[in-house]
Every structure is written in C-alpha cells, then in structure tokens.
Amino acid sequence: MGNRGRLIAPGGLRDELAGVADDAPATGEPLAELAARYGLRPSSARPGLVSYLTKVWQRRHFIFAYATARNVSMYTEARLGQLWQVLTPLLNSAVYYLVFGVLFKANRGISNYTAFLVTGVFIFAFTERSIVTGSTVMRANMTLIRALHFPRACLPFAYVLVEFQQLLLSMLVLFAIVLGTGEPLTWYWLLLVPTLVLQATFNVGAALIMARVGAGAQDISQLVPFLLRVWRYFCGVMYSIASLPAELPEWAKNVLSFNPAAVYISLTRYAIMATYRADAPGAQPYNAARCALFNAKKIPSLQAYCHPEITVSELWLAGIGWAIVTLVAGVLYFWQAETRYGRG
C-alpha cells in the first residue's frame, strides 16, 4: 500500500523505494557521522554515570512495584504466608537465647537481654538477607534482563526494598517484645528512623557490590551465607561488646564496635532501649571502684561508671560514613560493568 493507505499498482513499490532512496545519505558517508546525525550509539556502550543514575530514578515506580509484587508472592505457597518474615528471626532469637544466654551466660552485664538479643537478630537479618539476595539477583533474573532494557541496578535496589518492607513488618513484633519486657516508649525512638535509613543505604551499596561479584562467579552465592554467619558472631548480636573481658585489647574492641553491622545494631538499641542507654559506659561519672567491680561481677548498672571506649556521636559518624562510602563504591563498581549483564 502507498502512503495514502491504498494499494500500489504494478511498479508502484519500485517508485516508493526510489523516493526513499533519494532521501538516503550518500553511500560514502562514514558510519560514525551517520550514527551521530541520527542520535544512534552502540547498544553495548556504557552510559554516563549521571545519565545512568537519572534512568534509575526514572524507573523508581518500577522498582517499588516489582519489590511489592515479589514481597507478596514470596510466601504465597506457605500456609503461614507473610508470618514467616517474623517467625524466622524469632526462632533464631530463641535458639541464640538458649545457647548464648543460658549455656554461655552471654547475658551477663546486660539488664534486658531479651530485648537486647531480639533487636540484634532483627537488625542483622536485614543486612544479611540484603547481601545474600544481592549476590544472586543477576542470575535469578536473567530472563527479565534479556527480555527488557532497563538499568540493571534497579534489581539490587528492588531486592533491598523487599527486605526493607519485610523489616518494617518485623518491627511491629520487635516493638511488642521491647515494650513487653519493660522498656518505655520515649522520644529516643525517633532516632530509629535515621538509623534504618542509614542501614538501608549501606545495604543498597553492599547489594550492588555483591550483585556484580555474584554475576561473574556463581560460587560466590554459596560462600556468602557462610561468611555472613561468621560476621554475625563478630558484631555483638548475642553479646555486649562493651562487656567483653578487660584483657581484650582496646583495638580489638574498636574493630568489633565499628564494623557496620555492629554500628547499626548499637544505634537501634540506643534508640529503643532505655536500659541500654542507662547502662552504657560513660552514662554516669567515672568511678574506678565501681568500674572494677563491673569488670569482676558484670553487674549491668555498674557499667555506666566506666570510661566509654566509643561514644554515641562516634557511632553516628561511623554509621553515616559506612552508608555513604558503601553506596558510592557500590554504584561505581556496578555501573562499570553495566553492559556485561545479560550476555551469553
């Protein structure tokens, strides 16, 4: 048919093509200039960083919708459904309470060990699941990656958002446990908002890093859960780092206290646990005798009379620093390999 929607008579198609040929560029024009004139670029070319981030932001509605749909469908085949988001950390807390609180007496020096332990388990689980899912996100969504054109960073963002939505649901149970164990509801609880935002920012950066690593080496996804289990034992989930034996070198305690998971766990405990704030080192004027008695007897209230090795302001600076550095590193590291995802 012709341009006017009517059938072309014999020879008409040749006339149409001749008209198009008159508008075609000269055969000797370089392909690079031809592509530039029509705004074309190689499909494998990596976009600029600013342009890439702009495209990710433009697809924020896709990220939210994808995360919400995945969150809803995750437990559809389980009879208890979304309750597993809460039951899993609760069961872990019960096991840790039996092993560390009862058998190994890790509750020494802690006034409210139940709230202390559950808070640590729930907060660490947020980072743990974000990293685990981030390490498998590219391979798990290879069909989607090959079918649609979109910034691949949307996937790690979406998966961290899934974990964040699950954390918010878990927080309802966490709040009930904390309040039920005698902790009061105070204005300090508002500090939970920036704490979770900083942790989520850190998790996005870590997920972006692990997404690229996991896309290139499938065995990484098998190793990551093991490394995270080891990490759990070094960030004060089940015990108080400040209550560790005085013989432990100060630099070792600082390494444990300033690792990112420990920082966000401590800030969360500081926000929602009045007993944690009251017993923190430095909460009372220094008293050498009472501090020595705490180191010997591990009486929680006496810990407040010891010198603080790490202040709350230092924890906030560490939390902000970890979030910014990890996010920037994750974005740059992932963006450099954007055009590799989905090949093969």
Side-chain angles (χ1 to χ4, degrees):
M1 299 182 68
N3 291 334
R4 298 182 180 180
R6 55 186 175 79
L7 292 174
I8 299 175
L13 179 59
R14 184 165 49 249
D15 297 337
E16 290 283 336
L17 294 177
V20 173
D22 293 338
D23 296 332
T27 55
E29 183 177 2
L31 293 178
E33 296 181 4
L34 177 63
R37 182 150 65 90
Y38 286 95
L40 303 177
R41 64 178 181 83
S43 60
S44 61
R46 184 178 63 198
L49 179 59
V50 176
S51 175
Y52 185 71
L53 294 178
T54 301
K55 291 179 180 179
V56 173
W57 172 252
Q58 291 173 346
R59 288 161 177 80
R60 62 190 182 277
H61 302 295
F62 162 75
I63 295 174
F64 183 80
Y66 181 81
T68 303
R70 182 171 179 80
N71 194 17
V72 171
S73 64
M74 189 175 300
Y75 299 100
T76 53
E77 297 183 359
R79 291 186 177 182
L80 297 180
Q82 300 290 326
L83 288 178
W84 281 113
Q85 299 176 5
V86 178
L87 289 177
T88 300
L90 282 179
L91 293 175
N92 289 334
S93 299
V95 173
Y96 295 147
Y97 186 91
L98 175 63
V99 175
F100 293 93
V102 177
L103 298 181
F104 291 101
K105 304 297 181 182
N107 57 349
R108 297 181 63 201
I110 304 172
S111 295
N112 188 352
Y113 185 69
T114 300
F116 180 94
L117 175 63
V118 173
T119 301
V121 171
F122 275 63
I123 296 302
F124 183 81
F126 177 33
T127 295
E128 180 182 34
R129 291 197 301 261
S130 298
I131 294 177
V132 169
T133 57
S135 65
T136 61
V137 62
M138 306 308 294
R139 293 184 178 274
N141 293 274
M142 192 59 64
T143 303
L144 178 64
I145 291 174
R146 291 173 175 172
L148 300 176
H149 178 72
F150 62 95
R152 309 313 188 204
C154 292
L155 292 174
F157 273 95
Y159 272 63
V160 174
L161 183 56
V162 169
E163 302 303 333
F164 187 72
Q165 291 173 344
Q166 294 184 1
L167 175 67
L168 294 181
L169 179 61
S170 302
M171 279 294 173
L172 299 178
V173 178
L174 174 61
F175 293 162
I177 294 175
V178 171
L179 294 174
T181 55
E183 299 290 343
L185 181 63
T186 66
W187 291 107
Y188 281 95
W189 285 54
L190 295 177
L191 295 175
L192 188 61
V193 176
T195 300
L196 294 182
V197 170
L198 289 175
Q199 186 186 9
T201 303
F202 168 82
N203 290 353
V204 169
L208 287 169
I209 294 174
M210 294 309 304
R212 175 175 173 179
V213 174
Q218 189 174 2
D219 293 337
I220 292 296
S221 60
Q222 305 299 324
L223 181 62
V224 167
F226 169 76
L227 296 177
L228 288 171
R229 281 196 296 270
V230 175
W231 188 19
R232 184 188 296 119
Y233 298 119
F234 287 92
C235 56
V237 173
M238 293 79 68
Y239 59 89
S240 172
I241 297 175
S243 299
L244 291 174
E247 293 79 10
L248 189 68
E250 183 177 353
W251 66 265
K253 288 187 177 182
N254 289 338
V255 170
L256 295 177
S257 299
F258 279 122
N259 86 75
V263 168
Y264 298 122
I265 290 173
S266 297
L267 290 176
T268 302
R269 288 169 175 161
Y270 183 83
I272 65 178
M273 294 181 60
T275 55
Y276 186 82
R277 297 191 298 270
D279 297 341
Q284 298 292 340
Y286 176 72
N287 186 301
R290 294 185 177 183
C291 183
L293 185 59
F294 167 77
N295 290 326
K297 302 294 185 179
K298 298 300 181 182
I299 302 174
S301 59
L302 297 180
Q303 186 182 19
Y305 295 93
C306 297
H307 281 307
E309 297 178 355
I310 296 176
T311 63
V312 178
S313 59
E314 290 174 337
L315 287 177
W316 279 109
L317 290 176
I320 295 172
W322 277 117
I324 295 176
V325 170
T326 307
L327 179 62
V328 172
V331 169
L332 293 177
Y333 186 65
F334 189 90
W335 165 70
Q336 290 176 350
E338 166 69 16
T339 56
R340 303 178 190 175
Y341 306 127
R343 289 186 179 182

